[in-house]
């Protein structure tokens, strides 16, 4: 029997597999075992992980990160006001 575990953190995500009494963290396409929880959009593509994190300076208006930190917060000033105040 096998089991899969997923960690969705505020700043990173990873996946582990438990099989035959052993657990192992799955590497992403770059070979890293932890992937930054960042998504960036452009006109013709969506970029995730490390590539999105590295491009956030050039594409800040189309980059989403730390979304879990605004979930459940008061919407008096709007979710983007709080998020952007931490980066500007």
């Amino acid at each position: 029997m096998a089991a899969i575990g997923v960690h969705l953190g505020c700043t990173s995500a990873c996946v582990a597999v438990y099989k035959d009494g052993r657990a192992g963290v799955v590497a992403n396409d770059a070979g890293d075992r932890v992937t930054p929880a960042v998504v960036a959009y452009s006109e013709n593509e969506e970029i995730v992980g490390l590539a999105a994190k590295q491009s956030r300076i050039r594409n800040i208006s189309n980059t989403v990160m730390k979304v879990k930190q605004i979930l459940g917060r008061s919407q008096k000033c709007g979710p983007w006001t709080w998020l952007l105040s931490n980066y500007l």
Side-chain angles (χ1 to χ4, degrees):
M1 184 166 115
I4 298 173
V6 178
H7 166 73
L8 299 173
C10 289
T11 59
S12 62
C14 68
V15 175
V17 176
Y18 180 81
K19 185 176 179 182
D20 298 327
R22 296 181 54 122
V25 178
V26 179
N28 61 21
D29 58 351
D32 299 323
R33 298 188 186 283
V34 177
T35 301
V38 180
V39 178
Y41 300 93
S42 68
E43 289 183 18
N44 53 4
E45 66 181 338
E46 295 83 32
I47 307 164
V48 298
L50 185 59
K53 183 178 179 181
Q54 291 173 338
S55 71
R56 72 185 185 272
I57 301 301
R58 294 184 312 266
N59 191 21
I60 190 69
S61 63
N62 294 317
T63 301
V64 180
M65 55 192 154
K66 296 189 178 186
V67 172
K68 285 180 69 176
Q69 292 182 358
I70 63 172
L71 295 177
R73 290 190 176 266
S74 171
Q75 300 298 310
K76 291 179 185 174
C77 64
W80 301 117
T81 304
W82 180 86
L83 186 64
L84 292 175
S85 67
N86 288 300
Y87 296 103
L88 300 177

